[in-house]
Amino acid sequence: TAVPARLWGGRSHCAGRLELLFAGTWGSVCAEGWDPAAARVLCRQLGCGRPRFVPVPCGPKAASAPPAVLRRVLCTGQELALEHCDLQPGQPSSCPTER
């Protein structure tokens, strides 16, 4: 099943905070395992070339975003799109919350 992805709030469709569409709702990604391999897959999926910056997935920007939709992401970096990675829905225990 395709997992629509977008980078939101940046100056182009190749910059910003990662959001995925899960169960009809856009949500932020604050997941264990988000690393350069996962960023390569996302950039390939969006047609953005090679990633230049891999944001900290559980940083303050993720905390102020819509609710997290992924608890864990495992990609080898060779996948054509994020739906081919191991995606585990849910809020990670390490994800910060707004106070």
Side-chain angles (χ1 to χ4, degrees):
T1 303
V3 177
R6 69 182 181 188
L7 291 172
W8 187 251
R11 289 184 283 185
S12 76
H13 83 282
C14 292
R17 178 186 69 241
L18 173 60
E19 292 184 354
L20 298 180
L21 187 63
F22 259 85
T25 303
W26 286 101
S28 62
V29 171
C30 178
E32 298 172 36
W34 188 262
D35 60 10
R40 278 196 304 277
V41 174
L42 172 68
C43 289
R44 184 178 299 120
Q45 178 175 341
L46 296 178
C48 293
R50 299 176 69 136
R52 288 183 287 179
F53 176 68
V54 180
V56 177
C58 289
K61 286 188 176 184
S64 64
V69 294
L70 285 182
R71 180 167 54 90
R72 188 165 177 81
V73 175
L74 292 171
C75 299
T76 65
Q78 303 304 313
E79 296 89 351
L80 295 177
L82 288 174
E83 63 256 23
H84 302 297
C85 298
D86 180 10
L87 306 178
Q88 297 175 9
Q91 177 118 3
S93 58
S94 60
C95 193
T97 56
E98 281 190 284
R99 303 224 182 265

